[in-house]
């Protein structure tokens, strides 16, 4: 049965699938631009920091990790700013503007000559990230219809996770073979292709005419919003503490050659793809149980990887489970944010990606400190374990507050009139 989107226009199932594919293609391009640096970290360090790399390769790799942190910080700054300021704009128009910004920022990353300029370009390239996923998730949720909110989010995020199966390994191989600058130009081409796809097949959706910056910013006055953000910002750091330094982990700890790095990235991507869809389906049933389960798997996998990274089997199983658990958390945390943000839906949808990229920056930064201190490439795994442990404690706190409020007879919101209710327990 066709669905209606912000008006009387009827959409066929085929049109809906094409629109969802276009939105997911944007996620694919974002996954490529965000994660390709992980596999090319030694190449970036060698080319942009040649003197430091010759003298201290570990220190150069750690500093090259700043490129990942810069992108993540761009996401943190851009997501709430753009989402709050542009919530009234037509959603398709906003998506197209964001895709232009992505294309230009990625081209600049590929062409600028120095480490400092590339660092600035990565920050700028990250600015549209959260707003794109936030607005695309709202579009997908409406296209999917009643009761399928988390699955709509998961479809948009599936592009990002599939990028880790196909795009990131392939582009990493290309970057190793032909230079990291060409790799980023390919990514920019994918963004340009996404622009065309969105322009052609995504239906018009009006923005929220009643939205104001003040109303959107009300989300920051709610304790449960802040706790949900901290769950993503700290707990998700467990993934990025490992992922940022996966290339040197594979080569220096497990002892494999550079050609094995894309294979390991495929394994992580497979885990993320499976975890994303599983998390989306399970979160539509229970946000609370899905969050606890994903964090539980993450803690077990990080512990196992810390003790078994020297073996190929231990490495592959560990990174697969870490990727699956982290990806399951993403639509779960996003759904939780939309539940507790009341009428600040645009900023809530985008803030999830700010939080997750704080985790990206935090994991990369703390892992780099440990490596630069001479603690080795397994040290970031232990840091990731600590970050994920804090994440599950925060999850326990947010749901304990819900239970306390219910006992006191205080209403616990699970959505708004515009969004289908999803139970948190």
């Amino acid at each position: 049965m066709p669905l209606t989107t912000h008006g009387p226009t009827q959409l066929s199932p085929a049109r809906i699938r094409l629109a969802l594919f276009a939105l997911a293609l944007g996620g694919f391009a974002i996954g490529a631009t965000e994660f390709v640096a992980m596999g090319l970290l030694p190449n970036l360090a060698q080319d942009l920091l040649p003197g430091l790399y010759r003298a201290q390769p570990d220190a150069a790799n750690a500093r090259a990790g700043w490129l990942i942190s810069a992108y993540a910080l761009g996401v943190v700054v851009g997501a709430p700013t753009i989402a709050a300021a542009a919530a009234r704009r037509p959603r398709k128009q906003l998506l197209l503007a964001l895709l232009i910004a992505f294309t230009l920022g990625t081209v600049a990353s590929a062409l600028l000559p120095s480490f400092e300029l590339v660092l600035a370009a990565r920050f700028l390239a990250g600015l549209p990230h959260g707003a794109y996923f936030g607005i695309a998730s709202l579009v997908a949720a409406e296209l999917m219809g009643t009761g399928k909110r988390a699955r709509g989010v998961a479809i948009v995020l599936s592009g990002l996770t599939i990028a880790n199966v196909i795009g990131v390994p392939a582009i990493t191989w290309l970057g190793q073979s032909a230079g990291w600058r060409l790799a980023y130009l390919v990514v920019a081409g994918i963004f340009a292709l996404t622009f065309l796809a969105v322009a052609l097949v995504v239906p018009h959706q009006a923005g929220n005419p009643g939205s104001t910056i003040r109303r959107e910013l009300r989300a920051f006055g709610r304790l449960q919003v802040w706790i949900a953000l901290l769950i993503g910002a700290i707990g998700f750091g467990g993934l990025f503490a490992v992922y940022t330094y996966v290339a040197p982990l594979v080569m220096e700890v497990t002892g494999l050659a550079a050609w094995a790095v894309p294979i390991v990235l495929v394994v992580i991507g497979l885990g993320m793809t499976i975890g994303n869809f599983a998390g989306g389906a399970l979160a539509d049933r229970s946000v609370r149980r899905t969050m606890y389960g994903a964090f539980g798997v993450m803690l077990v996998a990080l512990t196992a990887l810390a003790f078994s990274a020297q073996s190929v089997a231990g490495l592959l199983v560990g990174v697969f489970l870490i990727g699956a658990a982290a990806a399951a958390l993403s639509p779960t945390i996003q759904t939780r944010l939309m539940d507790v943000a009341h009428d600040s839906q645009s900023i809530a949808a985008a803030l999830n990606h700010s939080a997750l990229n704080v985790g990206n920056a935090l994991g990369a930064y703390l892992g780099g400190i440990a490596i630069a201190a001479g603690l080795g490439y397994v040290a970031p795994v232990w840091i990731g374990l600590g970050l994920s442990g804090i994440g599950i404690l925060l999850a326990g706190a947010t749901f304990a507050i819900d239970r306390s409020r219910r006992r006191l007879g205080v209403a616990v919101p699970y959505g708004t009139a515009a969004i289908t209710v999803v139970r948190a327990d």
Side-chain angles (χ1 to χ4, degrees):
M1 181 177 180
L3 298 176
T4 300
T5 174
H6 274 245
T9 302
Q10 299 294 307
L11 299 178
S12 68
R15 175 69 181 277
I16 292 170
R17 286 193 292 271
L18 285 173
L20 291 171
F21 174 81
L23 296 173
L25 183 61
F28 183 95
I30 293 171
T33 199
E34 181 176 16
F35 295 126
V36 74
M38 278 76 162
L40 293 175
L41 199 66
N43 306 79
L44 289 160
Q46 188 171 10
D47 186 49
L48 293 173
L49 300 163
L52 182 61
Y53 190 86
R54 285 192 297 270
Q56 296 177 287
D58 289 356
N61 284 331
R63 187 173 299 179
W66 295 0
L67 296 170
I68 297 164
S69 296
Y71 180 91
L73 291 174
V75 179
V76 174
V77 173
T81 304
I82 297 172
R88 302 177 70 173
R89 305 283 296 179
R91 291 173 179 170
K92 179 175 178 177
Q93 183 184 92
L94 181 55
L95 289 173
L96 292 173
L98 294 171
L99 288 165
I100 291 172
F102 268 127
T103 304
L104 295 176
T106 309
V107 169
S109 301
L111 299 181
L112 291 171
S114 70
F115 177 79
E116 291 76 16
L117 289 174
V118 174
L119 191 72
R122 296 312 297 152
F123 174 81
L124 294 174
L127 290 173
H129 176 124
Y132 177 88
F133 273 125
I135 300 304
S137 293
L138 292 174
V139 173
E142 187 162 329
L143 291 171
M144 288 292 289
T146 302
K148 298 179 180 178
R149 214 170 18 137
R151 275 168 280 186
V153 173
I155 287 173
V156 175
L157 291 173
S158 70
L160 186 150
T161 59
I162 291 170
N164 284 278
V165 180
I166 302 171
V168 174
I171 296 170
T172 297
W173 174 84
L174 176 66
Q176 290 174 338
S177 304
W180 65 269
R181 295 183 185 276
L182 179 60
Y184 274 109
L185 288 175
V186 169
V187 174
I190 300 172
F191 277 121
L193 180 63
T194 303
F195 177 91
L196 293 176
V198 170
L200 290 173
V201 301
V202 172
H204 172 80
Q205 279 192 12
N208 186 345
S211 176
T212 64
I213 293 178
R214 178 177 293 181
R215 195 182 85 171
E216 291 293 328
L217 293 178
R218 286 177 191 163
F220 291 109
R222 300 186 175 103
L223 174 63
Q224 289 286 52
V225 169
W226 280 106
I227 297 176
L229 291 173
L230 286 172
I231 291 170
I234 299 175
F236 214 73
L239 168 67
F240 289 106
V242 175
Y243 203 166
T244 300
Y245 302 101
V246 68
L249 181 71
V250 169
M251 293 187 287
E252 301 296 333
V253 177
T254 313
L256 300 176
W259 59 262
V261 174
I263 296 173
V264 175
L265 293 175
V266 169
V267 173
I268 296 174
L270 286 171
M272 294 179 76
T273 301
I274 293 170
N276 174 60
F277 284 115
L282 292 171
D284 275 328
R285 299 180 183 180
S286 171
V287 169
R288 180 179 61 86
R289 289 194 293 271
T290 304
M291 194 175 294
Y292 282 146
F295 269 124
V297 173
M298 177 85 81
L299 292 171
V300 171
L302 285 163
T303 303
L305 181 62
F307 286 108
S308 63
Q310 293 81 5
S311 73
V312 175
L315 173 73
L316 295 178
V317 172
V319 298
F320 175 86
L321 292 175
I322 291 167
L329 282 170
S330 186
T332 306
I333 296 172
Q334 179 138 344
T335 302
R336 176 64 179 173
L337 273 168
M338 293 166 74
D339 285 341
V340 299
H342 299 267
D343 56 355
S344 304
Q345 290 294 305
S346 293
I347 200 168
L351 279 173
N352 182 47
H353 300 280
S354 285
L356 300 186
N357 278 273
V358 169
N360 186 338
L362 186 64
Y365 177 72
L366 294 177
I369 288 176
I371 293 168
L375 299 178
Y377 289 109
V378 176
V381 181
W382 290 111
I383 289 172
L385 181 64
L387 293 173
S388 294
I390 296 172
I392 199 170
L393 292 176
L394 290 167
T398 193
F399 296 120
I401 291 172
D402 279 355
R403 289 193 298 271
S404 176
R405 288 178 174 176
R406 281 196 291 269
R407 284 196 298 269
L408 294 172
V410 179
V412 177
Y414 295 107
T416 71
I419 299 293
T420 304
V421 170
V422 175
R423 287 187 58 82
D425 60 353

